[in-house]
Amino acid sequence: GNSVTQMEGPVTLSEEAFLTINCTYTATGYPSLFWYVQYPGEGLQLLLKATKADDKGSNKGFEATYRKETTSFHLEKGSVQVSDSAVYFCALSPHPNSHTGANSKLTFGKGITLSVRP
Amino acid sequence: NAGVMQNPRHLVRRRGQEARLRCSPMKGHSHVYWYRQLPEEGLKFMVYLQKENIIDESGMPKERFSAEFPKEGPSILRIQQVVRGDSAAYFCASSPPVGGGSTDTQYFGPGTRLTVL
């Protein structure tokens, strides 16, 4: 079945440091890949996504590239801010269903907590 | 355009009671998904519904849990005879119908945090 593996956390960085959060996946076919962010006490927000190999998703200074050869989707940011402190989840969704055109369930990694110090 | 709405945000139940969690998808969305987040863990898929149909319930416990998405009104996740192990955050997500946008993207509600005493 499908699975997503994220690096162990938590991660603590100083403001303006470089961030990398590793994510690798196992899936059949060509899934779509996502990063979601969860701020304390809130639901998940879509941060970025990529739907095919070599696509780069980007948003709010975060980037991730869909690497099929290494089955990875690592999240990076060049200079983190205190406001980036949150839990980050990597997820995948299988190729759209040929009948409904919609994807089915998202498979999530365990999430990693990022804390950024001023 | 209002996002996915869930209520209540917090729900406290005693063991043996019933819990009803509601989810109103984004306007124009016809696909609803329920996920459970246990403490210190990621989200686990429970069920995927379209209007009046359950498409995939492979993540639902076989007993005490049920879900519906009627033609009118919100989607409901019902947990009967709750136990302490049901304490978790339950998130609902929605996505648009075919031809209505990015069907591979799910938009999440704020969640319902269920505490079973």
Side-chain angles (χ1 to χ4, degrees):
Chain A
N2 298 333
S3 68
V4 175
T5 302
Q6 291 184 234
M7 59 185 280
E8 295 285 327
V11 172
T12 302
L13 295 173
S14 297
E15 202 165 25
E16 299 184 1
F18 183 84
L19 169 71
T20 299
I21 301 177
N22 290 344
C23 171
T24 57
Y25 68 90
T26 302
T28 54
Y30 302 93
S32 294
L33 300 174
F34 305 83
W35 278 99
Y36 280 86
V37 58
Q38 184 179 31
Y39 297 102
E42 298 184 10
L44 277 71
Q45 299 176 22
L46 178 65
L47 181 58
L48 52 84
K49 70 175 186 179
T51 57
K52 61 182 187 295
D54 300 325
D55 266 3
K56 178 185 282 187
S58 62
N59 186 27
K60 299 181 181 179
F62 290 89
E63 292 183 341
T65 301
Y66 190 143
R67 301 282 187 204
K68 193 164 185 350
E69 64 276 13
T70 54
T71 61
S72 64
F73 193 54
H74 304 323
L75 182 68
E76 295 182 337
K77 187 174 185 182
S79 176
V80 294
Q81 306 300 311
V82 172
S83 58
D84 294 326
S85 298
V87 181
Y88 292 81
F89 293 96
C90 184
L92 70 81
S93 180
H95 196 68
N97 181 285
S98 59
H99 295 291
T100 68
N103 284 313
S104 183
K105 56 189 177 185
L106 282 167
T107 298
F108 284 89
K110 288 190 174 182
I112 187 169
T113 300
L114 170 66
S115 298
V116 181
R117 298 184 300 239
Chain B
N1 187 9
V4 177
M5 298 176 68
Q6 291 187 248
N7 66 82
R9 295 291 305 273
H10 299 274
L11 181 61
V12 179
R13 286 286 178 266
R14 296 190 180 279
R15 282 179 296 169
Q17 291 184 319
E18 179 180 283
R20 277 182 170 240
L21 288 63
R22 295 175 187 77
C23 168
S24 296
M26 286 179 70
K27 186 176 181 180
H29 286 192
S30 56
H31 302 263
V32 166
Y33 311 79
W34 286 94
Y35 295 84
R36 177 165 61 177
Q37 183 180 32
L38 294 170
E40 307 300 323
E41 293 192 16
L43 278 74
K44 303 291 186 187
F45 167 79
M46 299 181 75
V47 62
Y48 163 36
L49 310 103
Q50 294 178 23
K51 284 285 188 182
E52 300 183 280
N53 287 306
I54 296 175
I55 307 301
D56 180 355
E57 55 181 348
S58 58
M60 286 278 273
K62 294 288 186 282
E63 297 179 350
R64 301 189 297 107
F65 284 73
S66 62
E68 63 177 10
F69 188 18
K71 187 175 181 181
E72 301 291 337
S75 176
I76 305 287
L77 179 68
R78 180 200 284 185
I79 311 172
Q80 296 178 298
Q81 299 176 318
V82 296
V83 301
R84 288 218 174 104
D86 297 333
S87 296
Y90 292 83
F91 290 96
C92 168
S94 71
S95 66
V98 176
S102 297
T103 55
D104 65 344
T105 300
Q106 297 179 22
Y107 297 87
F108 283 78
T112 294
R113 281 156 179 82
L114 172 65
T115 301
V116 179
L117 301 177

